[in-house]
Amino acid sequence: MRVLFVGDVFGDPGLRAVAMHLPDLRPHYDLVIVNGENAHHGKGLSRPAYKKLREAGADLITLGNHAWDHKDIYDLIQTEPIIRALNYPPGTPGKGYWVLEAQGERLLVMQVMGQVDMGLNLYDPFRTTEALLAEVPHDYALLEVHAEATSEKYALGHYLGGKVSALLGTHTHVQTADAGFLANGTAVQCDVGMTGPIHSIIGGEIESFLGRFITQRPTPFKAASGRAMFCATELVLEGGRCVQIRPMRWDEPE
Amino acid sequence: MRVLFVGDVFGDPGLRAVAMHLPDLRPHYDLVIVNGENAHHGKGLSRPAYKKLREAGADLITLGNHAWDHKDIYDLIQTEPIIRALNYPPGTPGKGYWVLEAQGERLLVMQVMGQVDMGLNLYDPFRTTEALLAEVPHDYALLEVHAEATSEKYALGHYLGGKVSALLGTHTHVQTADAGFLANGTAVQCDVGMTGPIHSIIGGEIESFLGRFITQRPTPFKAASGRAMFCATELVLEGGRCVQIRPMRWDEPE
Amino acid sequence: MRVLFVGDVFGDPGLRAVAMHLPDLRPHYDLVIVNGENAHHGKGLSRPAYKKLREAGADLITLGNHAWDHKDIYDLIQTEPIIRALNYPPGTPGKGYWVLEAQGERLLVMQVMGQVDMGLNLYDPFRTTEALLAEVPHDYALLEVHAEATSEKYALGHYLGGKVSALLGTHTHVQTADAGFLANGTAVQCDVGMTGPIHSIIGGEIESFLGRFITQRPTPFKAASGRAMFCATELVLEGGRCVQIRPMRWDEPE
Amino acid sequence: MRVLFVGDVFGDPGLRAVAMHLPDLRPHYDLVIVNGENAHHGKGLSRPAYKKLREAGADLITLGNHAWDHKDIYDLIQTEPIIRALNYPPGTPGKGYWVLEAQGERLLVMQVMGQVDMGLNLYDPFRTTEALLAEVPHDYALLEVHAEATSEKYALGHYLGGKVSALLGTHTHVQTADAGFLANGTAVQCDVGMTGPIHSIIGGEIESFLGRFITQRPTPFKAASGRAMFCATELVLEGGRCVQIRPMRWDEPE
Ligand SMILES: [Fe+2]
Ligand SMILES: [Fe+2]
Ligand SMILES: [Fe+2]
Ligand SMILES: [Fe+2]
Ligand SMILES: [Fe+2]
Ligand SMILES: [Fe+2]
Ligand SMILES: [Fe+2]
Ligand SMILES: [Fe+2]
């Protein structure tokens, strides 16, 4: 089973890059999963953004800490193939996992949010993930860890002891160069990277984002515009495990 | 001018990797700078660790949030080519920058620590760096940003408007795949990555590090052992700017 | 010199309590200082709120982390007796201190914001305050510390070595019972308390504020309504120091 | 039922104050509960400190974020009437609640730790407390909230909707002046205050504690010495609810 995971799609540049590049890649994969937490102008997922991601070939959309920024999500998440983090408290709308199927095999896709430096107090991602893995039948499992700290991402990979085929980090918006395998067999990459505007501060417009740092006063958030990069990671799942993990980056032509 | 920057050297595996690999690389560079904040069993820099790094070819050692973990540093930092972050308060031992020379040109090396999620309240890294750049004569400037947040690293790169030749991040211990150039000409890489034990949680021994996450009780810190990776980034400085940035990783043979 | 300091005025209930109670107290004091950071529906200071506070008898209004929540402030702070924290970066609108006069003596009023757990990276409150005290001529000095951590408030009081007549904390919205004197002579109270709605979560409407904790999703902020408490602290300054510190609380009648 | 709750006993001065003052108070109460998280030189609970607290009249000792600082606790907590926070993860040694009896009635005593700004990622204190209240039979319930944020303490009090007779905060080491009743009938005080050295920074020795703020480098922690204050809160439980909450402070004579 060949799976493509596309990192945090950010604003119109990100949506444009997905529309341009994903259709070319789509035929080479059985399943395509896209993180869409920043698709609506950098903040959350809206219905038009959702439609664009699906039309470009996404089978499942994942969210993150920006999940609830745009109110459309409260409808979309009831009916569409969209997941938010699994470790939100009881009563949270939507689901924290989804089972996709390809070639007669089931891929369990889960997202958890980290607890370190995320400004949120979500439930224990370690035991929550472990419990779900025991509960939901699957042939392969992919865990997206939407988190800040590299230590927490690696800790989860080691904790789960090979029970997930692959662990892919998101949220920092910077692709990491560590794609590889843990000793327990789990494929890991700390961050898939962003699919969004290159000339930006992690997607945000430079002047307004700088304002936050420089003034320490509230500044309006703006998504940057301009050429986009497309960051994604390919996973090949075979014989009960991930046998290949390959990050990729494509830049919109000038 | 060819410069090699070696990322956070972690414990004995990191020192061993430096001793094995750096002498091979050394002849190809004019200057070698090494982050040594984790060289002493993962915590700070000791005299023996310092000697090993220097003997392997380091011209300058940089520190980080672990700067003060080992008490040897209070002597070493008075006399040796070692820098701690520039944005510590007045009265802090040691210096926050160093001017190295090669081929008749001066490279100003500075380190700042980020303010976001570092558990410290250091001085403003933006204006502190800007002021130093105006004050210390140099031909090239290299800014090491020891920080957690990718946004803060990029924000600094944009804020400084091309006045630094290169900005290299450290601290997350995971090499990033974003090496490139900002629109203002500054070469950037979010994190150079760690030089330390591969089978670990960012250098720490897996069981003890997992304990922190799983128990939320204090657990003794242990450095991991075993095969090391060596992460570094090459910079070529020419004609007043950085013209090449190239990350590298070498793994100790099994 | 008799000074009254009124704690964080919160929303309409707070403004109402000030309007009802402050005029009765006003004749007994030479100077009245009011923290107004939450006066505009719990978020910032607006022109109408400012007018109400002044008409009720305030000589000087102080702000806090909510300083910039309402855009009126950007005009008001240019011309009116209003201060924001002293330890904002250079270029911040407004002033961080004000010199009031009464009975031929000058009271220097300063506000600093804490660095611990405030979600901001302001400048060093210790050295910033110390420098200002050396620079601005005064007979008495009152330092408002707008901060979360009790340790930081006490640390400032000890650090300043008796150079401030009184240190009053604000921001937690809960009056503390520790009013007294440090060994160095400075009068201290960790928090003056809120002037705002009693039936609330530190001023906020209960249901919406609970939502943040329970759902970990964004929830609209609402100020509570209903009966208000009025929290303030009286300082008597004589012979070069504070000789009396007396907290008070008045509750709006049912 | 008359209950006395003694706030965070800090180091030898705190133990001394308890030994001097608690025996006088003891006969007036049915039950005495003491927070001992700082009893061993400011850090955790040791066997000798435990014995002193018990000999002075404590029926139950509670802990906090310093629970695990002294290794004695791992033995003591197995057999003695000591509780740590209820919302530690599964597998944590000890218990998070205790049922005391007096006058034929059962008082359920629980401790939870806050999630805001505590530097820990414990389980949801809201639902954890709610579930325990439903599970453990009791006539009265006392909830100690060991937490930093005033908002979280009040939020818990409102969330539990009168199911706890009283909620007493600890951890900030500063007694608050807000003792009273929520609309739902629960008696509340944001912080009981510390029983420890007066001339200190929340118990810590002034010079060393200041060092942390001023240098931003690690500084050895020292407990302060000298005269102690004794902070406690009296609760009268009758007819199914708390009918009186009365904070007190006693200072060691000079
Ligand atoms: Fe994102
Ligand atoms: Fe995110
Ligand atoms: Fe490091
Ligand atoms: Fe570091
Ligand atoms: Fe505030
Ligand atoms: Fe406030
Ligand atoms: Fe304590
Ligand atoms: Fe505590």
Side-chain angles (χ1 to χ4, degrees), chain A residues 17-40:
Chain A
V18 168
M20 288 176 72
H21 193 52
L22 187 53
D24 292 349
L25 298 173
R26 190 66 190 83
H28 304 287
Y29 296 95
D30 296 297
L31 297 170
V32 173
I33 302 159
V34 177
N35 182 304
E37 73 147 353
N38 307 110
H40 177 77

mmCIF file of all heavy atoms in Angstrom, chain A residues 17-40:
data_model
loop_
_atom_site.group_PDB
_atom_site.id
_atom_site.type_symbol
_atom_site.label_atom_id
_atom_site.label_comp_id
_atom_site.label_asym_id
_atom_site.label_seq_id
_atom_site.Cartn_x
_atom_site.Cartn_y
_atom_site.Cartn_z
ATOM 1 N N ALA A 17 -0.915 25.094 -4.503
ATOM 2 C CA ALA A 17 0.143 24.093 -4.718
ATOM 3 C C ALA A 17 -0.442 22.686 -4.738
ATOM 4 O O ALA A 17 -0.040 21.836 -5.534
ATOM 5 C CB ALA A 17 1.218 24.222 -3.633
ATOM 6 N N VAL A 18 -1.396 22.450 -3.846
ATOM 7 C CA VAL A 18 -2.044 21.132 -3.832
ATOM 8 C C VAL A 18 -2.775 20.904 -5.149
ATOM 9 O O VAL A 18 -2.681 19.827 -5.759
ATOM 10 C CB VAL A 18 -3.009 21.018 -2.627
ATOM 11 C CG1 VAL A 18 -3.897 19.779 -2.749
ATOM 12 C CG2 VAL A 18 -2.218 20.972 -1.312
ATOM 13 N N ALA A 19 -3.510 21.911 -5.606
ATOM 14 C CA ALA A 19 -4.271 21.771 -6.857
ATOM 15 C C ALA A 19 -3.356 21.541 -8.055
ATOM 16 O O ALA A 19 -3.698 20.816 -8.986
ATOM 17 C CB ALA A 19 -5.139 23.015 -7.084
ATOM 18 N N MET A 20 -2.182 22.161 -8.009
ATOM 19 C CA MET A 20 -1.252 22.010 -9.128
ATOM 20 C C MET A 20 -0.496 20.689 -9.111
ATOM 21 O O MET A 20 -0.278 20.072 -10.133
ATOM 22 C CB MET A 20 -0.208 23.137 -9.105
ATOM 23 C CG MET A 20 -0.762 24.494 -9.498
ATOM 24 S SD MET A 20 0.532 25.774 -9.330
ATOM 25 C CE MET A 20 1.622 25.353 -10.728
ATOM 26 N N HIS A 21 -0.065 20.294 -7.924
ATOM 27 C CA HIS A 21 0.885 19.188 -7.870
ATOM 28 C C HIS A 21 0.264 17.846 -7.482
ATOM 29 O O HIS A 21 0.707 16.794 -7.958
ATOM 30 C CB HIS A 21 1.991 19.544 -6.878
ATOM 31 C CG HIS A 21 3.173 18.653 -6.957
ATOM 32 N ND1 HIS A 21 3.829 18.385 -8.145
ATOM 33 C CD2 HIS A 21 3.823 17.945 -6.012
ATOM 34 C CE1 HIS A 21 4.825 17.554 -7.916
ATOM 35 N NE2 HIS A 21 4.849 17.273 -6.637
ATOM 36 N N LEU A 22 -0.750 17.875 -6.623
ATOM 37 C CA LEU A 22 -1.277 16.592 -6.132
ATOM 38 C C LEU A 22 -1.870 15.728 -7.239
ATOM 39 O O LEU A 22 -1.641 14.502 -7.252
ATOM 40 C CB LEU A 22 -2.275 16.831 -4.988
ATOM 41 C CG LEU A 22 -2.766 15.569 -4.266
ATOM 42 C CD1 LEU A 22 -1.630 14.693 -3.761
ATOM 43 C CD2 LEU A 22 -3.686 15.951 -3.105
ATOM 44 N N PRO A 23 -2.598 16.309 -8.194
ATOM 45 C CA PRO A 23 -3.129 15.456 -9.266
ATOM 46 C C PRO A 23 -2.051 14.666 -10.019
ATOM 47 O O PRO A 23 -2.303 13.542 -10.452
ATOM 48 C CB PRO A 23 -3.845 16.463 -10.185
ATOM 49 C CG PRO A 23 -4.259 17.571 -9.244
ATOM 50 C CD PRO A 23 -3.101 17.690 -8.283
ATOM 51 N N ASP A 24 -0.864 15.226 -10.154
ATOM 52 C CA ASP A 24 0.238 14.487 -10.802
ATOM 53 C C ASP A 24 0.698 13.302 -9.962
ATOM 54 O O ASP A 24 1.103 12.267 -10.476
ATOM 55 C CB ASP A 24 1.453 15.407 -11.013
ATOM 56 C CG ASP A 24 1.180 16.499 -12.036
ATOM 57 O OD1 ASP A 24 0.147 16.417 -12.732
ATOM 58 O OD2 ASP A 24 1.995 17.448 -12.112
ATOM 59 N N LEU A 25 0.680 13.505 -8.661
ATOM 60 C CA LEU A 25 1.171 12.449 -7.768
ATOM 61 C C LEU A 25 0.108 11.379 -7.503
ATOM 62 O O LEU A 25 0.437 10.214 -7.265
ATOM 63 C CB LEU A 25 1.573 13.067 -6.408
ATOM 64 C CG LEU A 25 2.692 14.090 -6.417
ATOM 65 C CD1 LEU A 25 2.827 14.722 -5.021
ATOM 66 C CD2 LEU A 25 4.020 13.437 -6.809
ATOM 67 N N ARG A 26 -1.139 11.823 -7.519
ATOM 68 C CA ARG A 26 -2.247 10.966 -7.066
ATOM 69 C C ARG A 26 -2.235 9.548 -7.632
ATOM 70 O O ARG A 26 -2.416 8.578 -6.867
ATOM 71 C CB ARG A 26 -3.580 11.664 -7.392
ATOM 72 C CG ARG A 26 -4.823 11.004 -6.775
ATOM 73 C CD ARG A 26 -4.745 11.130 -5.282
ATOM 74 N NE ARG A 26 -5.747 10.349 -4.576
ATOM 75 C CZ ARG A 26 -5.641 9.066 -4.279
ATOM 76 N NH1 ARG A 26 -4.600 8.365 -4.678
ATOM 77 N NH2 ARG A 26 -6.573 8.461 -3.562
ATOM 78 N N PRO A 27 -2.018 9.377 -8.930
ATOM 79 C CA PRO A 27 -2.069 8.023 -9.493
ATOM 80 C C PRO A 27 -1.029 7.064 -8.908
ATOM 81 O O PRO A 27 -1.184 5.844 -9.008
ATOM 82 C CB PRO A 27 -1.800 8.248 -10.990
ATOM 83 C CG PRO A 27 -2.075 9.694 -11.237
ATOM 84 C CD PRO A 27 -1.797 10.405 -9.958
ATOM 85 N N HIS A 28 0.000 7.602 -8.304
ATOM 86 C CA HIS A 28 1.059 6.737 -7.767
ATOM 87 C C HIS A 28 0.778 6.250 -6.355
ATOM 88 O O HIS A 28 1.573 5.509 -5.792
ATOM 89 C CB HIS A 28 2.400 7.494 -7.777
ATOM 90 C CG HIS A 28 2.757 8.004 -9.118
ATOM 91 N ND1 HIS A 28 3.178 7.192 -10.140
ATOM 92 C CD2 HIS A 28 2.707 9.258 -9.645
ATOM 93 C CE1 HIS A 28 3.391 7.916 -11.236
ATOM 94 N NE2 HIS A 28 3.108 9.175 -10.953
ATOM 95 N N TYR A 29 -0.352 6.693 -5.797
ATOM 96 C CA TYR A 29 -0.644 6.329 -4.404
ATOM 97 C C TYR A 29 -2.023 5.697 -4.272
ATOM 98 O O TYR A 29 -2.947 6.028 -5.014
ATOM 99 C CB TYR A 29 -0.548 7.571 -3.495
ATOM 100 C CG TYR A 29 0.867 8.087 -3.493
ATOM 101 C CD1 TYR A 29 1.268 9.101 -4.353
ATOM 102 C CD2 TYR A 29 1.828 7.475 -2.677
ATOM 103 C CE1 TYR A 29 2.582 9.526 -4.394
ATOM 104 C CE2 TYR A 29 3.155 7.903 -2.714
ATOM 105 C CZ TYR A 29 3.520 8.922 -3.581
ATOM 106 O OH TYR A 29 4.826 9.324 -3.625
ATOM 107 N N ASP A 30 -2.126 4.804 -3.300
ATOM 108 C CA ASP A 30 -3.433 4.221 -2.991
ATOM 109 C C ASP A 30 -4.253 5.182 -2.141
ATOM 110 O O ASP A 30 -5.468 5.263 -2.273
ATOM 111 C CB ASP A 30 -3.235 2.906 -2.227
ATOM 112 C CG ASP A 30 -2.519 1.885 -3.088
ATOM 113 O OD1 ASP A 30 -3.077 1.494 -4.124
ATOM 114 O OD2 ASP A 30 -1.369 1.519 -2.732
ATOM 115 N N LEU A 31 -3.570 5.874 -1.258
ATOM 116 C CA LEU A 31 -4.274 6.748 -0.324
ATOM 117 C C LEU A 31 -3.517 8.058 -0.168
ATOM 118 O O LEU A 31 -2.282 8.061 -0.128
ATOM 119 C CB LEU A 31 -4.380 6.085 1.056
ATOM 120 C CG LEU A 31 -5.193 4.792 1.123
ATOM 121 C CD1 LEU A 31 -5.003 4.120 2.473
ATOM 122 C CD2 LEU A 31 -6.676 5.060 0.864
ATOM 123 N N VAL A 32 -4.269 9.132 -0.069
ATOM 124 C CA VAL A 32 -3.653 10.433 0.162
ATOM 125 C C VAL A 32 -4.311 11.091 1.371
ATOM 126 O O VAL A 32 -5.539 11.219 1.435
ATOM 127 C CB VAL A 32 -3.784 11.348 -1.071
ATOM 128 C CG1 VAL A 32 -3.288 12.767 -0.742
ATOM 129 C CG2 VAL A 32 -2.995 10.783 -2.247
ATOM 130 N N ILE A 33 -3.480 11.484 2.322
ATOM 131 C CA ILE A 33 -3.955 12.132 3.546
ATOM 132 C C ILE A 33 -3.337 13.521 3.580
ATOM 133 O O ILE A 33 -2.149 13.682 3.299
ATOM 134 C CB ILE A 33 -3.508 11.313 4.776
ATOM 135 C CG1 ILE A 33 -4.044 9.888 4.660
ATOM 136 C CG2 ILE A 33 -3.975 11.974 6.074
ATOM 137 C CD1 ILE A 33 -3.284 8.878 5.503
ATOM 138 N N VAL A 34 -4.146 14.508 3.925
ATOM 139 C CA VAL A 34 -3.664 15.890 3.886
ATOM 140 C C VAL A 34 -3.986 16.591 5.203
ATOM 141 O O VAL A 34 -5.125 16.560 5.653
ATOM 142 C CB VAL A 34 -4.332 16.658 2.720
ATOM 143 C CG1 VAL A 34 -3.894 18.125 2.716
ATOM 144 C CG2 VAL A 34 -4.014 16.003 1.383
ATOM 145 N N ASN A 35 -2.990 17.226 5.803
ATOM 146 C CA ASN A 35 -3.273 18.067 6.959
ATOM 147 C C ASN A 35 -3.789 19.410 6.473
ATOM 148 O O ASN A 35 -3.091 20.143 5.773
ATOM 149 C CB ASN A 35 -2.022 18.254 7.848
ATOM 150 C CG ASN A 35 -2.367 19.096 9.071
ATOM 151 O OD1 ASN A 35 -2.854 20.213 8.949
ATOM 152 N ND2 ASN A 35 -2.151 18.551 10.247
ATOM 153 N N GLY A 36 -5.013 19.734 6.887
ATOM 154 C CA GLY A 36 -5.649 20.948 6.381
ATOM 155 C C GLY A 36 -5.924 21.990 7.455
ATOM 156 O O GLY A 36 -6.744 22.877 7.254
ATOM 157 N N GLU A 37 -5.185 21.938 8.575
ATOM 158 C CA GLU A 37 -5.547 22.829 9.693
ATOM 159 C C GLU A 37 -5.336 24.314 9.394
ATOM 160 O O GLU A 37 -5.883 25.163 10.087
ATOM 161 C CB GLU A 37 -4.776 22.447 10.968
ATOM 162 C CG GLU A 37 -3.309 22.818 10.934
ATOM 163 C CD GLU A 37 -2.756 23.190 12.317
ATOM 164 O OE1 GLU A 37 -3.496 23.295 13.292
ATOM 165 O OE2 GLU A 37 -1.526 23.365 12.406
ATOM 166 N N ASN A 38 -4.529 24.596 8.379
ATOM 167 C CA ASN A 38 -4.265 26.009 8.037
ATOM 168 C C ASN A 38 -4.793 26.385 6.659
ATOM 169 O O ASN A 38 -4.397 27.403 6.084
ATOM 170 C CB ASN A 38 -2.755 26.284 8.070
ATOM 171 C CG ASN A 38 -2.084 25.882 9.355
ATOM 172 O OD1 ASN A 38 -1.311 24.929 9.403
ATOM 173 N ND2 ASN A 38 -2.404 26.591 10.419
ATOM 174 N N ALA A 39 -5.694 25.565 6.122
ATOM 175 C CA ALA A 39 -6.075 25.751 4.724
ATOM 176 C C ALA A 39 -6.878 27.032 4.493
ATOM 177 O O ALA A 39 -6.746 27.681 3.460
ATOM 178 C CB ALA A 39 -6.849 24.524 4.225
ATOM 179 N N HIS A 40 -7.703 27.409 5.455
ATOM 180 C CA HIS A 40 -8.540 28.613 5.302
ATOM 181 C C HIS A 40 -7.753 29.851 5.735
ATOM 182 O O HIS A 40 -7.755 30.217 6.915
ATOM 183 C CB HIS A 40 -9.812 28.459 6.141
ATOM 184 C CG HIS A 40 -10.678 29.674 6.104
ATOM 185 N ND1 HIS A 40 -11.492 29.997 5.042
ATOM 186 C CD2 HIS A 40 -10.844 30.675 7.013
ATOM 187 C CE1 HIS A 40 -12.134 31.126 5.295
ATOM 188 N NE2 HIS A 40 -11.748 31.565 6.481
#
